[in-house]
Amino acid sequence: MSLICLLLILGCNNEHKSVHSTSNLGSQFLTVATDPTFIPFEIQAYKGNLEGFDIDLMNAITSAIGFKVQFESLPFDGMIASLQAKKVDAAISGITITPERLKTISFSRPYLKAGLAITVREETQDIKDIKSLKGKKIAVQIGTTGADFAKTIPNAKISTFNSGPEFFQDLLNGNVDAVISDAFATLYAIKIGTLKGLKVVGNLLTEEYYGIAVPKDSPQLSAINKGIADLLSSGIYQKIYKKWFGSTPPQLPESL
Ligand code: ARG
């Protein structure tokens, strides 16, 4: 009798273990691309560790849905192609959800409200808004919404760069007149003193939302969305936001 009990218990345990290890949740890895040149969203910190709002958020999402995350550093411009080729499961990199990108990849629900802005050298007086950018030399990061926006400015001479810090350096060196890039990131870098001698001028040029990018028909998209919803309702999202931005986050739409 007791042997039968023991066998039953062992049987139950074995069954439980095998269910766990073959389940989609459990310890499945999610490979996530990121371009860590975008303070405070993703940066390569001391000893090569990744840090930033996006990194904290992705770690929290994956732990909420029972995945382990494996970050892979990739240049921003190569991210969409890597997703299309399914070389990575997802990408988090302050990526703006745009109709153009939605033709080839999918996005999670929006996780941050953002927008583009013009950055110039502190002493610059003649650039105050989008009209004054006509015919000017503008630096952008290749493949970004800032790069797309710059193309719409009449007679602008556009220089493209592979990573964030490079275009700001070009502006500081006096090679270009302005940078068009994500306002939030630039304002943060100016505030903490990483970017010196620069200022953001005018109003926001666009209203954008960041999403986690995934291949079309990604099997993990609904789990990722559930993770974001969980973090929003448990207050973990708000904590991560406060850690990086020092304030309460604005209300986010559930979809665009
Ligand atoms: N939000 C902009 C875009 O989607 C720029 C993002 C740049 N991100 C980065 N990690 N360099 O095009």
Side-chain angles (χ1 to χ4, degrees), residues 118-121 124-140 149-160 170-171 174-180 201:
I118 305 167
T119 307
V120 294
R121 284 181 297 281
T124 300
Q125 296 299 332
D126 62 333
I127 298 174
K128 291 195 172 68
D129 53 19
I130 185 75
K131 280 197 202 117
S132 48
L133 279 179
K134 267 187 213 154
K136 298 281 189 205
K137 290 188 229 152
I138 303 170
V140 294
F149 193 92
K151 287 182 200 147
T152 66
I153 298 164
N155 302 321
K157 292 168 208 61
I158 304 169
S159 317
T160 50
D170 212 49
L171 177 60
N175 297 332
V176 291
D177 306 308
V179 155
I180 297 183
V201 291

Side-chain angles (χ1 to χ4, degrees), residues 60-180:
I61 291 171
T62 43
S63 89
I65 59 176
F67 280 82
K68 285 200 173 114
V69 61
Q70 175 83 56
F71 288 105
E72 202 172 296
S73 295
L74 280 183
F76 190 79
D77 192 40
M79 238 164 244
I80 292 181
S82 296
L83 288 165
Q84 279 182 282
K86 299 204 165 77
K87 286 188 184 148
V88 288
D89 300 314
I92 191 161
S93 231
I95 309 175
T96 304
I97 305 170
T98 69
E100 194 53 37
R101 290 172 179 166
L102 281 167
K103 288 181 190 161
T104 54
I105 53 168
S106 296
F107 278 96
S108 69
R109 57 183 285 169
Y111 72 83
L112 197 111
K113 189 175 180 184
L116 296 173
I118 305 167
T119 307
V120 294
R121 284 181 297 281
E122 240 158 31
E123 67 274 14
T124 300
Q125 296 299 332
D126 62 333
I127 298 174
K128 291 195 172 68
D129 53 19
I130 185 75
K131 280 197 202 117
S132 48
L133 279 179
K134 267 187 213 154
K136 298 281 189 205
K137 290 188 229 152
I138 303 170
V140 294
Q141 182 175 12
I142 191 164
T144 60
T145 47
D148 290 338
F149 193 92
K151 287 182 200 147
T152 66
I153 298 164
N155 302 321
K157 292 168 208 61
I158 304 169
S159 317
T160 50
F161 292 87
N162 280 326
S163 72
E166 287 176 81
F167 55 62
F168 284 123
Q169 196 50 54
D170 212 49
L171 177 60
L172 280 168
N173 293 349
N175 297 332
V176 291
D177 306 308
V179 155
I180 297 183

